[in-house]
């Protein structure tokens, strides 16, 4: 499989803040995501009926392509919406763990926890990190509060 040139420098640094803004604008929460040298992995979910992750990714690709010139995103990205059985707690955790392990499988890190371009993006919680022991507990509390219309504390 042939890969495109790596995304480095200021472009790569700016992508995190762009994803943060996009997640807020499109009513999504990025559970985990990491920037690989030449592509992006995300697991994210909507928090309202109007949330549309595929539309958000299309918006992202369209609006960041000029930043990448002369490089570009993959022509046929792999976007997958989780099926009902994949949304169950055990299956969901397995999918998230699989995505977290990508830098290890690609030889970029010995442990996913050590990969520097990894994070979660929930507006108002910049220190929320998948490497934290209490990440899932905090994430699900924030997510459920948002979905149920309760203020997050």
């Amino acid at each position: 499989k042939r890969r495109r040139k790596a995304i480095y420098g200021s472009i790569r640094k700016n992508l995190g803040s762009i994803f943060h803004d996009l997640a807020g604008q499109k009513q999504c929460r990025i559970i985990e995501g990491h920037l690989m040298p030449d592509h992006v992995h995300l697991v994210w979910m909507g928090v309202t009926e109007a949330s549309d992750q595929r539309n958000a990714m299309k918006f992202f690709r369209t609006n960041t392509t000029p930043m990448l010139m002369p490089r570009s995103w993959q022509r046929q990205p792999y976007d997958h919406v989780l099926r009902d059985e994949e949304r169950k707690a055990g299956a969901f955790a397995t999918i998230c763990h699989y995505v977290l392990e990508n830098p290890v499988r690609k030889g970029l890190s010995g442990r996913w926890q050590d990969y520097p371009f990894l994070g979660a993006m929930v507006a108002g919680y910049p220190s929320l990190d998948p490497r934290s022991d209490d990440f899932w507990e905090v994430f699900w509390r924030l997510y459920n509060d948002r979905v149920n219309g309760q203020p997050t504390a």
Side-chain angles (χ1 to χ4, degrees), residues 17-33:
S17 63
I18 291 169
F19 272 118
H20 189 271
D21 293 344
L22 179 64
Q25 177 185 357
K26 298 295 183 179
Q27 301 290 321
C28 296
R29 298 296 181 262
I30 297 176
I31 301 163
E32 63 185 52

Side-chain angles (χ1 to χ4, degrees), residues 1-146:
K1 186 175 177 180
R2 193 177 80 118
R3 290 282 186 189
R4 297 188 175 274
K5 290 184 178 180
I7 302 168
Y8 288 115
S10 63
I11 295 170
R12 191 172 186 178
K13 290 176 185 173
N14 291 335
L15 292 178
S17 63
I18 291 169
F19 272 118
H20 189 271
D21 293 344
L22 179 64
Q25 177 185 357
K26 298 295 183 179
Q27 301 290 321
C28 296
R29 298 296 181 262
I30 297 176
I31 301 163
E32 63 185 52
H34 42 280
L35 303 173
M36 300 293 281
D38 61 352
H39 62 284
V40 176
H41 287 276
L42 290 177
V43 176
W44 58 350
M45 59 177 44
V47 293
T48 70
E49 290 294 322
S51 300
D52 185 339
Q53 294 91 324
R54 285 190 177 182
N55 183 37
M57 279 310 298
K58 181 178 178 184
F59 182 88
F60 172 80
R61 284 190 296 268
T62 299
N63 289 287
T64 58
T65 295
M67 292 172 52
L68 299 175
M69 298 306 263
R71 298 175 217 94
S72 64
W73 295 113
Q74 290 174 297
R75 290 192 190 278
Q76 296 180 350
Y78 179 75
D79 293 335
H80 175 72
V81 176
L82 298 181
R83 296 176 189 90
D84 286 339
E85 62 272 8
E86 293 173 311
R87 294 180 185 157
K88 295 178 182 168
F92 186 74
T94 299
I95 290 167
C96 290
H97 186 72
Y98 176 83
V99 172
L100 285 169
E101 288 288 339
N102 273 304
V104 176
R105 283 193 297 278
K106 296 297 180 186
L108 299 171
S109 182
R111 298 177 338 124
W112 68 264
Q113 296 91 335
D114 297 331
Y115 190 64
F117 301 103
L118 164 74
M121 295 183 182
V122 175
Y125 296 86
S127 63
L128 189 62
D129 189 325
R131 292 172 275 249
S132 300
D133 291 336
D134 64 346
F135 171 76
W136 288 107
E137 177 186 341
V138 172
F139 176 82
W140 285 116
R141 180 180 50 81
L142 295 171
Y143 175 79
N144 287 321
D145 286 353
R146 174 64 174 99

